[in-house]
Amino acid sequence: MLSRTADHLFWMARYIERAENTARMLDVNVQTALLPQDPENAEQGWRAMLSICELTEAFAQRHDEVSAEAVIDFMVKDPSNPSSIYCCLQGARENARAVRGALTTEVWETNNTTWLELKKVLADGTVERDPSEFFEWVKFRSHLSRGVTIGTMLKDDAFRFIRLGTFLERADNTARLLDVKFHSMPFSPLANLNTADPHADYYHWAAILRSVSAFETYRKVYRDVITPDRVAELLILRDDMPRSLLASLNEVCANLEMIRNDYSASTERRAGKLRAELLYSQIDDILQMGLHAYLTNFLERVNDLGNRISKDFLVPLEA
């Protein structure tokens, strides 16, 4: 496959997944902002999200103060923010348009319709009226695109590059989503036993789980009260949880193996090493290290993997 074609397919998938995960992160903050809390804590939640997404400086250039309305506007529809949902879905559509011949008609029409409907949804005020409704729409369109891809495309290299982009982005974003909650919090395995307000804490963690479609899964797996260490274990180490870090790395490694070339051995080794560390880790060890430090290291390594994949398979970044 031509590297330029692979590049478009890879980034089409990453942009769709990024739009979905941005919607999930925003929805967590919208839901937790509804809980009783002082204004300083509410503002800190939005600041933490900008920091985790590495958008603090870009946001400050566009807005004077941090507020829910300003952050949502910046991360949903600001064309100057390349990570906004608007720019991600636009990027997905443009990459799909560039390689229409490598896609089925259903995949192209799904992505094109998403872009056309997005402009209508943004114009009718849904984001301002009911942000959660808009975020559900973004998630639904991403699910639809992924399902149509799996259901209609030949399982060839084009399909593998799409899946590789999806799961590399998912690993990155699940780690960021977890870190939004834990950012700047000293954490220990006993933190859940020392909460000042266990009822409020329950709703915070329930919002996190629902944001990754894992609330029912948590109940099925643990059959007990929601605690931070178990939420972290579910979203990091459970390979049967579709959005966990381990499940995402399993898919990254499997797809790298299917598309390997003469230059990718080092990239495969690094991906395999990261997967092995997740596979044989225990949550107590991760929490003892500090979840924020662990997730920061994980994000750096996933970013390195993305750069190496670009060098091994895709159009060089400078191009």
Side-chain angles (χ1 to χ4, degrees):
M1 172 176 286
L2 291 175
S3 62
R4 188 169 295 280
T5 300
D7 186 78
H8 285 303
L9 293 168
F10 177 81
W11 281 103
M12 177 194 76
R14 289 201 70 165
Y15 281 133
I16 293 169
E17 186 71 20
R18 187 175 300 177
E20 177 184 347
N21 284 285
T22 298
R24 289 178 181 276
M25 281 194 288
L26 287 168
D27 203 25
V28 169
N29 265 33
V30 167
Q31 297 300 323
T32 55
L34 298 175
L35 299 173
Q37 58 184 316
D38 60 66
E40 287 186 8
N41 284 343
E43 182 180 319
Q44 182 57 35
W46 294 106
R47 288 186 181 277
M49 193 175 72
L50 290 170
S51 176
I52 294 301
C53 296
E54 301 176 7
L55 292 172
T56 302
E57 192 173 316
F59 178 86
Q61 294 174 357
R62 302 280 293 174
H63 299 274
D64 295 330
E65 60 181 32
V66 176
S67 66
E69 294 78 11
V71 174
I72 290 173
D73 181 84
F74 181 70
M75 297 194 70
V76 168
K77 55 184 180 180
D78 192 332
S80 71
N81 172 17
S83 293
S84 69
I85 291 173
Y86 175 91
C87 287
C88 286
L89 293 182
Q90 182 185 44
R93 190 258 185 184
E94 290 305 308
N95 278 283
R97 184 175 62 84
V99 288
R100 284 185 63 175
L103 303 173
T104 61
T105 300
E106 291 85 354
V107 173
W108 159 249
E109 289 184 349
T110 298
N111 290 322
N112 189 48
T113 300
T114 297
W115 168 243
L116 296 175
E117 288 186 5
L118 173 69
K119 293 189 283 188
K120 295 179 182 177
V121 171
L122 293 180
D124 70 12
T126 300
V127 178
E128 293 77 14
R129 184 176 61 255
D130 188 349
S132 289
E133 179 184 339
F134 172 75
F135 300 142
E136 286 298 321
W137 177 85
V138 174
K139 287 189 280 184
F140 171 77
R141 296 304 304 184
S142 177
H143 296 329
L144 186 60
S145 176
R146 193 159 49 248
V148 168
T149 299
I150 294 171
T152 67
M153 285 195 63
L154 188 68
K155 305 306 185 286
D156 58 2
D157 282 354
F159 179 81
R160 300 298 175 191
F161 276 109
I162 291 173
R163 298 293 281 173
L164 182 60
T166 294
F167 287 102
L168 193 68
E169 187 67 30
R170 182 174 297 181
D172 179 277
N173 283 279
T174 296
R176 291 180 190 276
L177 181 65
L178 262 178
D179 212 13
V180 166
K181 174 62 181 178
F182 283 93
H183 188 53
S184 301
M185 287 176 57
F187 189 83
S188 74
L190 300 179
N192 57 295
L193 302 180
N194 300 306
T195 52
D197 187 351
H199 299 293
D201 203 55
Y202 167 85
Y203 289 109
H204 277 283
W205 292 112
I208 293 284
L209 289 170
R210 286 194 172 94
S211 73
V212 290
S213 307
F215 184 77
E216 292 83 3
T217 301
Y218 183 97
R219 290 299 194 198
K220 183 179 292 186
V221 171
Y222 297 106
R223 301 178 183 275
D224 203 350
V225 66
I226 299 174
T227 60
D229 50 347
R230 287 175 174 171
V231 172
E233 181 181 55
L234 182 70
L235 297 184
I236 295 174
L237 301 180
R238 294 281 307 203
D239 63 355
D240 51 358
M241 170 61 203
R243 307 194 74 84
S244 74
L245 302 188
L246 178 54
S248 298
L249 261 294
N250 284 342
E251 291 284 349
V252 168
C253 290
N255 284 287
L256 274 174
E257 183 180 350
M258 296 293 290
I259 61 171
R260 63 165 55 126
N261 61 24
D262 295 339
Y263 311 102
S264 62
S266 176
T267 301
E268 281 190 72
R269 281 196 297 270
R270 287 171 181 263
K273 183 178 179 181
L274 182 54
R275 174 185 173 274
E277 289 176 13
L278 287 167
L279 185 62
Y280 296 109
S281 290
Q282 293 186 321
I283 194 61
D284 289 348
D285 296 332
I286 293 173
L287 298 179
Q288 198 67 44
M289 178 194 303
L291 193 57
H292 178 62
Y294 179 87
L295 292 172
T296 299
N297 176 262
F298 179 86
L299 285 167
E300 289 174 355
R301 293 171 72 179
V302 166
N303 183 60
D304 177 64
L305 273 182
N307 291 335
R308 288 176 175 275
I309 288 169
S310 293
K311 181 181 178 181
D312 294 342
F313 300 102
L314 310 179
V315 177
L317 292 178
E318 59 268 20

